Structure formats: structure tokens, C-alpha cells
Amino acid sequence: MTIGKWAQAAGVGIDTVRFYDRSGLLGKPLRSLSGYRLCAPSEIDRLRFNRRAKSLGFTLEQIAELLSLSQGGNRADVKALVSNRLTEIDLRIVDLVAMRKLLAKLVNECDGHGSVAGCPIIESVLEPAGSYAAQRPATASSATGKRQRTSS
């Protein structure tokens, strides 16, 4: 099966197939004498799985772990992995809401007229990092250990 046919069967682009292949998220395909990939139907399903997991925001490492678990793990491990992803998303939502509030505040403070000098938006962006961070709630991802915000 050519890479184009493989991609078409999975509903993805050729570059996506190559990306997942380079990332080690696809099985090592056998090749015909002419060099074409010999792709089993399960590999098309695996490609779809990868694409769907990526669309849910899983990292390549997490996708690899999900793939591994799907081949012989247990539900508790799958649930723990997905629960951690959900926690990461919840923390990101908190960050996005805080950013939105700050940006809305800055838009309301700027009348949109005149020179840039004294513009509250520009001044806020130019403030030292500590000043900016102080306007946003500090969030720590204790559940995932991935991010820690400080106001220094």
C-alpha cells in the first residue's frame, strides 16, 4: 500500500503518516520489493487512534503510553492517564480565563485613540514579569507536576 493510500484509508494527510511514523507511534511496516509499505488494517486503525488522541490534546508520549496500555494494560492505568490529562486541561482553562479577564480589563482601559505612548495595553506588556504575574492567579499543577507559576 502506498503512503497515499494508507493516509487516505485513515483519513489523514501523507505528512501525518510520516510524522507518526517518525515519532514511533506506528508499527514498523514491512515493505514490498518495490519499497511500498505493506500496511495491515490494524495499522490504519492505529493511525486513526493516534490522530484522535492528538486531537484530544494528548502528547506524543501520552499517545505512546495509551497505545501500550491498549495492547495489554488495565483500565485503572488508562483512567489515571486520562484523568491527568483532564487535570491539565482544567488548569489550562483556569489560565485562559485569567488571561481573558486581564486582556478584557486592558481593552476596557484603552480608549483606542491617540499615540501609543501611555497605552495601558502596551504598558502592561512592558511591565516586569512579576507585575504581570501578580495580576494572574498562580496555578500549580501538583497533579501533573508539569507547570509552576511564580511571581518573580
Side-chain angles (χ1 to χ4, degrees):
M1 177 178 286
T2 65
I3 192 170
K5 288 181 182 173
W6 192 11
Q8 185 178 23
V12 300
I14 292 171
D15 288 339
T16 301
V17 175
R18 289 187 177 125
F19 173 77
Y20 287 127
D21 190 29
R22 282 190 311 271
S23 300
L25 294 175
L26 297 176
K28 190 75 172 167
L30 298 173
R31 295 199 178 260
S32 70
L33 293 175
S34 58
Y36 290 113
R37 297 166 194 260
L38 300 174
C39 174
S42 62
E43 285 301 305
I44 294 170
D45 291 339
R46 188 173 181 160
L47 184 55
R48 287 182 184 135
F49 180 94
N50 293 343
R51 184 194 66 210
R52 179 70 176 132
K54 188 70 176 155
S55 75
L56 291 170
F58 288 100
T59 64
L60 296 179
E61 181 180 290
Q62 291 167 330
I63 294 170
E65 190 173 348
L66 281 171
L67 282 168
S68 176
L69 290 170
S70 74
Q71 299 300 313
N74 62 57
R75 288 184 186 189
D77 292 337
V78 173
K79 183 175 181 176
L81 178 73
V82 175
S83 293
N84 284 338
R85 179 66 193 130
L86 185 59
T87 299
E88 292 169 4
I89 290 169
D90 288 340
L91 290 170
R92 182 68 177 141
I93 289 170
V94 169
D95 283 347
L96 289 170
V97 168
M99 282 188 272
R100 188 193 186 295
K101 285 180 182 177
L102 177 58
L103 291 174
K105 175 182 175 259
L106 293 172
V107 165
N108 286 333
E109 290 175 0
C110 180
D111 63 12
H113 300 289
S115 73
V116 184
C119 174
I121 297 170
I122 297 296
E123 287 180 0
S124 175
V125 174
L126 291 175
E127 286 179 4
S131 302
Y132 172 71
Q135 296 181 42
R136 298 178 61 202
T139 58
S141 178
S142 58
T144 61
K146 296 233 178 185
R147 257 186 5 244
Q148 188 78 270
R149 275 218 169 85
T150 62
S151 50
S152 58

